[in-house]
Amino acid sequence: MTALPRVLVAAPASGHGKTTIAVGIMAALARRGLTVAPAKVGPDYIDPGYHALATGRPSRTLDPWLVGEGRVAPLLARGATHPTLADVAVLEGVMGLMDGRLGGDGFASSAHVATLTRTPIVLVVDISSTSRTVAATVHGLATIDPELDVVGVVLNKAGTPRHGEEARRAVEAVGVPVWGVLPRDAAMHVPSRHLGLVPAAERGEAAATLDHIAAVAEEHLDLDALLAASRTAPDLDLEPWAPAAALPSLQSPLPEERALHSSRREVVVAVAGGRAFTFRYPETVELLEAAGARVVELDPARDAALPEGTSGLYLGGGFPEVHARTLATNRPLVHQIRTAIAAGMPTIAECAGMLYLAETLDDHPMVGALPARAAMGRRLTLGYREATSLVDSVLGPAGTRVAGHEFHRTVTDPPFGTSAAWDLGGRTEGFALDPAGTGRATLVASYLHTHWAGSPSVAGSFVEAARGWGHDAPRPAQPLSRATPARSTSLADPLRHHGDAEVSSELVDLAVNVRLTQPPGWLAVALAEELSTVAAYPDPTRARDAIAARHGVARDQVLPTSGGAEAFTLLARALTPRDAVVVHPQFTEPEAALRAAGHEVRHVLLRPEDDFALTAEALGQIGDADLVAVGNPTNPTGVLHPAATLRSLVRPGRVVLVDEAFIDSVPGERETLLAGDLTGLLVVRSLTKTWAVAGIRAGYVVGDAELVAALAEHQPHWSVGSLALRVMIETATPAALVEADRAAEEIAGWRAHLTRGLHTLGIPTAGGDAPFVLARVGTGVREALRDAGWAVRRGDTFPGLDTAWVRIAVRDPHTIDGLLRELTHLHHRRTA
């Protein structure tokens, strides 16, 4: 008998916000000091990641199709009692309350699981497009099945308090209590990808988002009423699921057989994890351990080798297509896995694991253990599958039956092996290979996800196979040695060298500072719409007005330009400075433009020992210059100079040019000079990096009206195209500014991850307020990274820096982890 207060969060359909609300309830209850056991109805890996983040416990998947009806409640009890006894369980439903396996009359639906576990139901209903009519929906769901116990409702996405109250009164009139009305809140949105939500492990801001969701839940939901309703759930009259009891080989009552099992040699099974392999059920590891394996997590993006003594490999699901380049550049591990599989090491690869073992993934070279190429397809394949193994394998004899599911948008060529792994009832699927000629398939790779709690015999069979291979099989080969990196080469014109010259399709790009791989959807739609108008000459009026309103300046203080580069060229043509100073290290295009126009340029070099700050000594070196160019935050140092310091440069007869191309990557755009008097100032902005439109060339100048007019006189007619002007208009809206600031906060977290990793390796860095980091990695390291598949921006083309410096673009933590892995390899080579 297991006493367990519990509720199941369900909805009329997908998209009503049940994941957000369920996670908010979990997090809010956990912050009250309660131990919360999370669970998820239906085959899902992503939502449970947020459950675990909210509660600190693994989330149990409750799916009658995958595990059988009889195991659903015991698995819930397992989650509530392991590793410690929980105070309350919160279950998240799937799709609509009554929606289950197609053709199964609601089998495996939220309602089905609620009935099997006798769990009270909380409905989450989106009221954004309705008000009183929501009562009919709630009444129908509350009365359609007498075995269901709908105990409360949460109304989501109310437009106004009045709107929410109207819906509340209607629902309460049909006899169902309303436990909260949540307003629309964009910050509660969890970003999606082609298979659903972005996994928590891949979101640098996931913890901050979770804190916000928990705070909203605490503010708007009646958690006391929810807890009271959870205590009305009857006790579970059953024993919790136990992995040891589930394994057939461990169920023998004979003491000598149990002693024989416990005396066998330890077997090490490596289980893929990290940000690229986030999909696996917790019962997989529990069954492997119960069968006698020591499970060690392997991060294929970071770890240079398999764990010591590995004799079995499990590669679960995830998003390797998102991180293909990072995975591919881990050449020592790729080579070792390929060699071990060829030697017959038992290996199971499900979905993402299969893609990782393919020859290529979206043309990126992968492990190459499978004779197949993988790529993104056009349609999503998903659904339950009943599978029968076609050959003897490390999972069991031919004829082994499992229940599973598919969930992918990739395809392989060929679609299955000559020896396929599974018969799915009319079609074959997967690869079953015996590369070492053992007489049975030692590699089983397919799109089929299986929940081993429903087929526990496969865990025991796999561990026994791994034990046999580890005893007498050849060990994996040593990692590949690397070629001696090429030395740095000289350049004809260092001032004209930019990050795009460093990249190629074979390299992971950390040299270019464009934030996204393509514009956001709303901006792409606007640009597509603008294409219908390009027969007319461009008119910058609306763009100037939008920029002026965005910064609170007059129209005559704004000049749209073809990227920031045109602004520097216009300045060089419009002005005739007698003493032009460029503060270096900084973006070289202003100096290049001045020199191309025939002007002499004097350098003021900031020093690394001063963290490239504008010290009193540096300010003194500027002297009587009548033109001063400086970046803020400065490219490549990432230093954000105080606005007051830059304003101190302004004086009669002097033009101060401030390049704020990356200021929108600074949360709140603090230290910008556009929030004050612009006399004597020209501030250059670029929109291409944040909004991924480098090919469109969108920038502008804001400043002293007389200076702006002087630049405009030298600008050719129609130099700024219609698409660039549309970018300026769309990205100046309040919604775009909120999105940009949110992106800046995310980049700040990613940058901190990068700098922490570099400092751990003893690598000095500069600055800290840009979408890149300047790092002193040492001479030759840039070339060695390039040899390993990584492109970073060379530093020696910036005056004041040498070949020891590189600029590293901030990317997501998974990609950065791959870079840190390579730098660790190089450090070990140099110190060996």
Side-chain angles (χ1 to χ4, degrees), residues 294-611:
R294 180 165 65 89
V295 176
V296 181
E297 184 164 303
L298 167 75
D299 186 343
R302 299 189 65 176
D303 296 330
L306 291 166
E308 183 68 28
T310 295
S311 54
L313 176 62
Y314 176 88
L315 298 160
F319 287 113
E321 65 271 23
V322 177
H323 308 291
R325 290 185 178 181
T326 303
L327 294 168
T329 55
N330 195 356
R331 296 171 185 173
L333 181 64
V334 164
H335 177 73
Q336 190 184 27
I337 289 176
R338 182 170 60 243
T339 302
I341 290 175
M345 182 177 71
T347 302
I348 305 301
E350 293 188 346
C351 200
M354 178 178 67
L355 305 181
Y356 178 59
L357 296 183
E359 293 174 352
T360 60
L361 174 55
D362 285 336
D363 295 325
H364 301 298
M366 302 307 287
V367 172
L370 285 176
R373 295 171 174 266
M376 289 297 298
R378 293 185 177 182
R379 67 183 184 89
L380 176 65
T381 298
L382 77 163
Y384 288 118
R385 306 287 183 259
E386 188 170 12
T388 304
S389 64
L390 293 170
V391 298
D392 294 342
S393 76
V394 293
L395 291 183
T400 298
R401 298 174 68 85
V402 300
H405 61 96
E406 287 186 86
F407 189 47
H408 60 93
R409 201 181 288 274
T410 57
V411 294
T412 63
D413 182 18
F416 49 83
T418 304
S419 294
W422 304 103
D423 177 1
L424 300 183
R427 68 179 176 93
T428 55
E429 205 277 322
F431 300 79
L433 305 180
D434 182 15
T438 65
R440 64 174 175 175
T442 55
L443 169 60
V444 178
S446 75
Y447 277 120
L448 190 69
H449 292 285
T450 56
H451 194 310
W452 284 8
S455 309
S457 64
V458 300
S461 178
F462 182 64
V463 171
E464 286 305 302
R467 180 175 284 110
W469 186 81
H471 181 67
D472 55 12
R475 307 309 299 156
Q478 294 299 311
L480 286 171
S481 61
R482 299 173 185 270
T484 301
R487 306 301 296 173
S488 178
T489 57
S490 60
L491 298 168
D493 186 358
L495 295 180
R496 294 294 189 182
H497 182 81
H498 299 298
D500 59 329
E502 307 272 0
V503 302
S504 72
S505 59
E506 293 79 27
L507 301 176
V508 181
D509 175 15
L510 300 182
V512 175
N513 294 306
V514 176
R515 178 174 68 95
L516 304 169
T517 57
Q518 59 186 14
W522 54 267
L523 182 54
V525 169
L527 291 173
E529 178 185 277
E530 190 66 27
L531 287 173
S532 65
T533 72
V534 296
Y537 286 102
D539 181 354
T541 303
R542 288 183 59 217
R544 293 183 76 172
D545 288 344
I547 295 167
R550 182 244 198 272
H551 294 294
V553 298
R555 180 195 291 180
D556 63 357
Q557 292 179 294
V558 175
L559 179 66
T561 59
S562 180
E566 188 192 27
F568 303 135
T569 299
L570 295 177
L571 177 136
R573 293 174 179 173
L575 303 183
T576 55
R578 55 174 176 74
D579 183 13
V581 164
V582 176
V583 180
H584 279 295
Q586 82 148 20
F587 186 47
T588 53
E589 201 63 34
E591 178 173 346
L594 287 166
R595 291 190 181 278
H599 305 300
E600 295 293 327
V601 175
R602 182 165 59 89
H603 292 174
V604 169
L605 298 179
L606 306 183
R607 302 180 303 182
E609 54 266 36
D610 299 324
D611 196 24

Side-chain angles (χ1 to χ4, degrees), residues 193-207:
R193 187 178 287 151
H194 53 268
L195 294 184
L197 301 178
V198 177
E202 291 188 47
R203 296 194 61 217
E205 79 280 20

